[in-house]
């Protein structure tokens, strides 16, 4: 039995290809239930793709994706639609509806997925906004919000349906230090108080390491390593060390593969 | 999945039972309105001991019942709030608003 009680999500031998390109090659990942798991790696390594595989927005080319005891690639369309209600996703862009005010943005999933009466929708929207500290912004439009506030409204919307699994796609990108601190605190608070399983995909090392109970480092279509932030920081693996310590050159080379420089500048023959 | 119910005993104890979620919420809301406004007692005690699981919907129900009671000029108190409802209440800043009976 996969994805038992201790693990909310399990990827087993997952391969994902886009055309000829292999984004993931036979990857195994276990996301423990009720914890904050960070998935880290350099830009472009497929972290967002990984989230989309877990959220059943993409189908793996091979392998199994178990979520709460069910193998997603084997589910029907309607079963997948139901499964998706268990997920909340905080997108990198925030993705607020620009012509709806803050209230309606948070109310949106409640209106689409539930038959709750208006007064209860209002209660829940105000509760979620209170949780992220923005109840006072209920009548504002997205373009009246700072970047950090937008992300918090998006977070209120992501938790509107009380998801069991909350996924954050690069939550810290472009945030000032105060907004970052607020987000870090909120992710931890929501995880611990509401028993949510949190998956944070990020390349922001310090913030992610500071909140994650467990980390995966991905790159080169593989899981390069996993462990607690401390374990990874002290890893003997040079690839993990390069990423964790932000060393510009190493196993992941500074230079994109290129023809010989001398030959390119000076020509093939010895001058 | 969403087996839930609300019953009012003669002594004014309103018992909330089962799973409080988006499926059970709308019917419970209506049941509560009728029971609270129809109750002959001046005060109602909402007992959540039988709640097996609750999402934010459970707290929205409690708030709605508080408004019903207020509208009908009755007192409403709350007891045996389960752990998951307490946690949602805390995160949502409802701690001081709920008429919790010790």
């Amino acid at each position: 039995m996969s994805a038992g009680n201790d693990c909310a999500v399990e990827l087993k031998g997952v391969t994902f290809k886009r055309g000829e390109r292999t984004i993931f090659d036979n990857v195994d990942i276990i996301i423990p239930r009720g914890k904050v798991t960070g998935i880290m790696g350099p830009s472009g390594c497929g972290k967002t793709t990984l989230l989309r595989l877990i959220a059943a927005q993409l189908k793996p080319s091979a392998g199994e994706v178990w979520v709460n005891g069910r193998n997603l690639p084997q589910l029907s369309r309607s079963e997948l639609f139901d499964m998706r209600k268990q997920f909340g996703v905080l997108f990198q862009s925030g993705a607020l509806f620009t012509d709806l005010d803050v209230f309606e943005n948070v109310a949106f999933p409640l209106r689409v997925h539930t038959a709750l009466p208006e007064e209860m929708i209002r209660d829940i929207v105000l509760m979620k906004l209170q949780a992220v500290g923005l109840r006072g912004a209920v009548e504002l439009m997205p373009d009246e919000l700072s970047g950090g506030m937008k992300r918090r409204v998006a977070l209120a919307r992501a938790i509107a349906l009380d998801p069991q699994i909350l996924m954050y796609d690069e939550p810290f990108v472009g945030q000032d230090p105060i907004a970052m601190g607020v987000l870090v605190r909120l992710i931890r608070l929501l995880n611990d108080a509401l028993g949510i399983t949190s998956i944070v995909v990020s390349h922001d090392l310090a913030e992610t390491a500071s909140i994650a109970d467990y980390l995966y480092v991905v790159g080169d279509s593989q899981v390069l390593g996993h462990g607690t932030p401390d374990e990874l920081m002290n890893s003997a693996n040079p690839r993990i060390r390069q990423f964790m310590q932000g060393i510009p050159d190493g196993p992941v080379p500074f230079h994109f593969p290129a023809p010989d420089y001398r030959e390119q500048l000076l020509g093939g023959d010895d001058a | 999945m969403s087996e839930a119910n609300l019953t009012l005993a003669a002594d004014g104890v309103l018992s909330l039972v089962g799973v409080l979620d988006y499926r059970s919420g709308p019917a419970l809301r209506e049941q509560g309105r009728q029971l609270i406004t129809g109750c002959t007692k001046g005060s109602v005690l909402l007992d959540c001991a039988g709640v097996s699981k609750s999402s934010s919907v459970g707290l929205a129900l409690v708030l709605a019942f508080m408004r019903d009671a207020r509208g009908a000029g009755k007192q409403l108190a709350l007891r045996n709030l389960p752990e998951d409802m307490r946690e949602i209440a805390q995160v949502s800043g409802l701690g001081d608003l709920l008429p919790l009976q010790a």
Side-chain angles (χ1 to χ4, degrees):
Chain A
M1 180 64 194
S2 290
N5 265 344
D6 293 344
C7 87
V9 178
E10 183 174 5
L11 275 67
K12 280 177 151 181
V14 166
T15 294
F16 182 77
K17 294 184 178 181
R18 199 167 261 150
E20 289 297 295
R21 228 178 116 218
T22 301
I23 314 285
F24 290 111
D25 185 12
N26 197 19
V27 162
D28 295 319
I29 288 180
I30 289 177
I31 308 284
R33 189 180 303 284
K35 306 262 191 221
V36 178
T37 300
I39 295 177
M40 312 204 58
S43 298
C45 72
K47 298 188 297 294
T48 301
T49 302
L50 195 63
L51 278 193
R52 297 186 65 196
L53 285 164
I54 297 171
Q57 292 173 356
L58 290 173
K59 247 189 172 164
S61 314
E64 300 171 3
V65 181
W66 291 85
V67 176
N68 288 333
R70 313 202 58 187
N71 184 15
L72 299 185
Q74 287 182 338
L75 298 185
S76 68
R77 263 179 82 90
S78 67
E79 287 172 317
L80 280 178
F81 186 77
D82 269 349
M83 281 299 280
R84 286 196 190 113
K85 288 184 204 162
Q86 299 180 17
F87 298 116
V89 185
L90 183 70
F91 296 104
Q92 188 171 346
S93 58
L96 294 179
F97 301 113
T98 52
D99 39 6
L100 297 181
D101 65 13
V102 165
F103 182 96
E104 287 302 326
N105 263 284
V106 181
F108 188 81
L110 295 161
R111 296 197 194 288
V112 171
H113 288 290
T114 80
L116 291 174
E118 185 61 29
E119 61 166 336
M120 288 175 78
I121 289 180
R122 180 172 179 273
D123 290 337
I124 294 172
V125 169
L126 293 178
M127 283 164 60
K128 302 300 174 185
L129 284 171
Q130 175 76 13
V132 302
L134 289 178
R135 186 169 46 83
V138 69
E139 290 176 358
L140 297 182
M141 298 300 288
D143 63 5
E144 297 175 281
L145 304 173
S146 70
M149 289 165 84
K150 276 187 191 135
R151 214 151 289 188
R152 280 196 274 160
V153 171
L155 182 52
R157 187 177 65 183
I159 59 172
L161 291 169
D162 296 281
Q164 295 175 26
I165 299 171
L166 195 44
M167 298 192 271
Y168 300 86
D169 189 2
E170 297 286 4
F172 310 116
V173 167
Q175 301 290 303
D176 67 52
I178 296 173
M180 246 195 229
V182 168
L183 273 170
V184 165
R185 201 172 60 88
L186 272 175
I187 292 171
R188 194 74 245 182
L189 172 81
L190 294 174
N191 187 85
D192 296 352
L194 303 180
I196 291 173
T197 298
S198 309
I199 307 173
V200 180
V201 155
S202 175
H203 61 250
D204 287 298
L205 188 69
E207 285 70 26
T208 310
S210 77
I211 46 165
D213 300 303
Y214 205 77
L215 285 176
Y216 277 85
V217 179
V218 294
D220 293 341
S221 317
Q222 306 281 337
V223 170
L224 299 178
H226 54 97
T228 64
D230 274 353
E231 285 167 358
L232 288 186
M233 206 57 96
N234 299 313
S235 170
N237 180 330
R239 280 174 183 276
I240 296 173
R241 227 179 27 237
Q242 184 191 1
F243 180 77
M244 295 297 284
Q245 299 179 10
I247 303 164
D249 204 0
V252 177
F254 170 72
H255 285 291
F256 193 78
D260 184 78
Y261 196 32
R262 169 182 290 273
E263 189 175 311
Q264 204 171 17
L265 288 174
L266 304 174
D269 301 327
D270 275 344
Chain B
M1 280 285 284
S2 300
E3 289 296 314
N5 203 9
L6 192 63
T7 52
L8 180 64
D11 57 359
V13 174
L14 192 58
S15 298
L16 192 50
V17 172
V19 178
L20 313 181
D21 63 11
Y22 297 97
R23 274 164 269 197
S24 61
L28 291 170
R29 167 73 202 99
E30 276 317 304
Q31 258 182 296
R33 186 200 312 276
Q34 286 164 21
L35 291 173
I36 290 168
T37 51
C39 177
T40 52
K41 294 265 177 187
S43 63
V44 175
L45 181 59
L46 180 62
D47 189 340
C48 299
V51 173
S52 48
K53 194 167 190 267
S54 176
S55 71
S56 302
V57 170
L59 276 307
L61 280 172
V62 171
L63 292 169
F65 297 162
M66 286 167 67
R67 288 191 295 266
D68 288 343
R70 176 182 282 194
K74 297 179 203 295
Q75 297 284 325
L76 186 135
L78 193 58
R79 78 174 176 201
N80 296 323
L81 204 62
E83 192 57 30
D84 55 357
M85 291 180 81
R86 278 178 195 274
E87 283 169 350
I88 295 168
Q90 194 207 335
V91 170
S92 315
L94 296 176
D96 297 337
L97 303 182
L98 300 180
L100 266 173
Q101 205 179 58

